[in-house]
Amino acid sequence: AQQALSFILVGAIWGCTNPLLKRGSSGIEKVKASGGALSQSIMEMRFLVTRWQWLIPFGLNQSGSLVYYLTLGSADISMAVPLANSLTFMWTWIVDYMLGEEKGNW
């Protein structure tokens, strides 16, 4: 029962932070580096880590990953993965809707 609650929590954390990560990364497509692919990647990472709108949801999302990792060691994987992933989709849709995103935009 505790494992199921942990995976429900993971799905909620991941699902709620996905739309916020999307919003926090808006504008990244405008980042242009004069060097090659490595330079472009560095500039994009710099863009993201300097925006609190992306950094806070990212930290919360990673806390969900930590709970997932810690719980997965003693869980039935055939229950854990579908439960966490399906709840992630559900929560992503709910938060997207609450933020006014277009239906089917993800």
Side-chain angles (χ1 to χ4, degrees):
Q2 182 180 354
Q3 291 174 348
L5 290 175
S6 294
F7 290 119
I8 290 169
L9 175 66
V10 168
I13 291 171
W14 283 349
C16 290
T17 57
N18 282 342
L20 300 175
L21 286 165
K22 180 181 170 186
R23 277 196 172 188
S25 65
S26 67
I28 197 167
E29 64 279 353
K30 296 175 186 167
V31 174
K32 302 292 181 210
S34 58
L38 179 60
S39 178
Q40 180 67 28
S41 295
I42 291 170
M43 292 299 292
E44 289 174 359
M45 286 303 299
R46 183 173 178 233
F47 174 83
L48 291 173
V49 299
T50 57
R51 293 176 52 95
W52 68 267
Q53 297 93 333
W54 181 84
L55 208 52
I56 292 172
F58 179 75
L60 291 171
N61 187 283
Q62 292 305 297
S63 71
S65 296
L66 180 62
V67 171
Y68 184 75
Y69 174 77
L70 294 174
T71 309
L72 201 56
S74 60
D76 177 11
I77 194 121
S78 65
M79 175 194 75
V81 174
L83 183 60
N85 288 342
S86 60
L87 289 173
T88 297
F89 285 125
M90 181 192 77
W91 280 106
T92 299
W93 182 84
I94 290 169
V95 174
D96 259 345
Y97 183 79
M98 290 171 61
L99 293 174
E101 294 289 327
E102 293 180 29
K103 292 180 183 176
N105 198 18
W106 47 275

